[in-house]
Each structure stands twice: as structure tokens, then as C-alpha cells.
Amino acid sequence: MERRSKFDFEGWHYRGYLPHFEAGSTAQFITFRLADSLPISLFRRLKIRLETGQISKSEYGYFLDRYLDRSKGDCFLNDRRISILVRDSILFGEGSRYKLHSWVIMPNHVHLLITPDEDQTLERIMHSIKSFTAHGANKILKRKGSFWSKEYFDRFIRDGKHFAKTMRYIAMNPVKAGLCDAPEKWEFSGAFKGKDSEA
């Protein structure tokens, strides 16, 4: 009898990098990152530990996020032109492809909390965002080559407590990374209040 991976069951798909779970219209926490934001050696170690059951998918995400918050690599998302492009692409899908609950653009990665529409897959949504923004960013930067990492990381939301915790995490990410002292002050975030609301 052929041995089945834990990722072979309905909803999971695995393309040789990371496992993804298509959960229909279930809220999903997504992280996608710039191509040079994570050393290949670290990515491979984490991937092996995940595949062999040494760490859970949540632990994988924790280690990944901790490293990304160090803002390694070229950090193209610090370029305001690029952040605007990515922000506008994310907001464009709201109401037509997914419900956008929360989002933040960091120097080398992006976090989203979305619920895909019934007729949309997470894979299709992410391909659209990444393809459009990669082309636009490379044009702005007058460069060629990979802009985003090939994969994205997703975690489906289990319950209301998990949803609230994820909302807080996304809003507080710029603060925890030392980029600002309050979530509402980070311009490229769903928590941003705008200049007019600042005291």
C-alpha cells in the first residue's frame, strides 16, 4: 500500500515547496515575502523540519516571521512606490475576490488575513497579486529577475480566538519590528488612521 503524506488529503496541495490548504470560504492568514528575504539554507532547514514533523505548521510560521522581522535582503517594500503598488493590488481584490480583514506591508514581506469568495481559490488569488506586483515593481526598479519568493505561507483560521489573535498580530507587526510605536502610525497597514487623525 502506498504511504500517504499528511498533505495528500482533501484540501491540501503540495507543489514541492510548502503545503497549502484550500479551505474554501474560510479565513486564511497569509505571509508572502521578497525573494531575497530568507537565506536558502534556513528555508531548507525549516522545510525539512516541517515535513518530518519536528515542528508544526504554526511553529514554522513563527520561526519564519521572527526572521523576516529582522528586515534582511534588499527590502524593496521600503520604497514607497512599491508599497503603494502592493497596497493597491491588495485593496483591489476586496469585495471582488475576497473579504479583506487585515493587512500589513513590511520591508520584506506582507501579511494578509482574508476570506476567499466561494468561486475563488487561495492559489489563484495569490498568483494574481504576486504576478501583477512583481511585474510592476521590477518595472519601477528597472530590474529583472524574481521579485517574490516562489511560495507563500498560509494558515487557515480555526476559530474566533485564533481570528482575533491573528488580527492583533498583523496590526502589531510593525510595532514589534521597531518600525513605529503604534499600529495606527504605520502607513501601509489596515490599522493606519491617516495624518488627519493624528493628535
Side-chain angles (χ1 to χ4, degrees):
M1 181 176 170
E2 184 182 351
R3 186 176 176 186
R4 299 183 74 186
S5 159
K6 67 179 178 178
F7 305 122
D8 289 338
F9 297 94
E10 187 178 351
W12 288 101
H13 61 95
Y14 188 75
R15 296 186 316 223
Y17 296 97
L18 291 175
H20 300 292
F21 187 71
E22 289 291 352
S25 56
T26 298
Q28 297 256 23
F29 175 42
I30 302 154
T31 300
F32 58 109
R33 61 185 179 84
L34 296 179
D36 70 343
S37 60
L38 190 68
I40 295 293
S41 57
L42 177 58
F43 173 73
R44 285 178 178 156
R45 284 200 305 272
L46 285 175
K47 180 175 172 281
I48 289 168
R49 292 184 69 192
L50 175 65
E51 289 175 340
T52 57
Q54 297 175 52
I55 58 173
S56 68
K57 198 171 181 196
S58 291
E59 289 169 322
Y60 175 95
Y62 171 76
F63 290 128
L64 178 72
D65 289 347
R66 276 187 61 190
Y67 188 87
L68 290 176
D69 284 344
R70 296 177 188 171
S71 296
K72 301 291 186 180
D74 284 323
C75 294
F76 292 129
L77 300 175
N78 275 330
D79 185 322
R80 196 165 186 279
R81 298 170 300 167
I82 309 301
S83 288
I84 289 171
L85 174 72
V86 175
R87 177 199 65 195
D88 291 351
S89 179
I90 291 167
L91 295 177
F92 181 78
E94 160 68 12
S96 61
R97 294 183 173 181
Y98 49 80
K99 180 171 179 54
L100 179 63
H101 305 289
S102 186
W103 60 278
V104 67
I105 300 170
M106 300 290 283
N108 64 2
H109 66 285
V110 178
H111 291 303
L112 302 176
L113 180 58
I114 65 172
T115 300
D117 289 351
E118 287 286 347
D119 62 342
Q120 297 291 320
T121 65
L122 195 56
E123 185 174 12
R124 190 183 310 154
I125 290 167
M126 292 310 301
H127 178 268
S128 176
I129 292 172
K130 290 174 67 181
S131 176
F132 177 79
T133 55
H135 178 76
N138 277 342
K139 188 173 180 181
I140 289 168
L141 296 168
K142 296 179 171 58
R143 69 183 292 275
K144 293 182 179 179
S146 298
F147 185 77
W148 298 111
S149 170
K150 289 183 179 180
E151 286 289 349
Y152 57 89
F153 178 73
D154 58 89
R155 278 172 275 187
F156 71 92
I157 302 300
R158 299 182 303 272
D159 52 35
K161 184 177 179 182
H162 188 201
F163 185 91
K165 182 179 178 182
T166 303
M167 290 281 288
R168 281 193 303 273
Y169 178 84
I170 293 173
M172 290 300 294
N173 198 198
V175 178
K176 289 183 177 178
L179 301 173
C180 59
D181 59 10
E184 60 273 14
K185 293 183 180 178
W186 187 247
E187 180 180 3
F188 294 101
S189 164
F192 182 59
K193 299 300 182 188
K195 293 178 182 178
D196 294 339
S197 65
E198 292 178 4

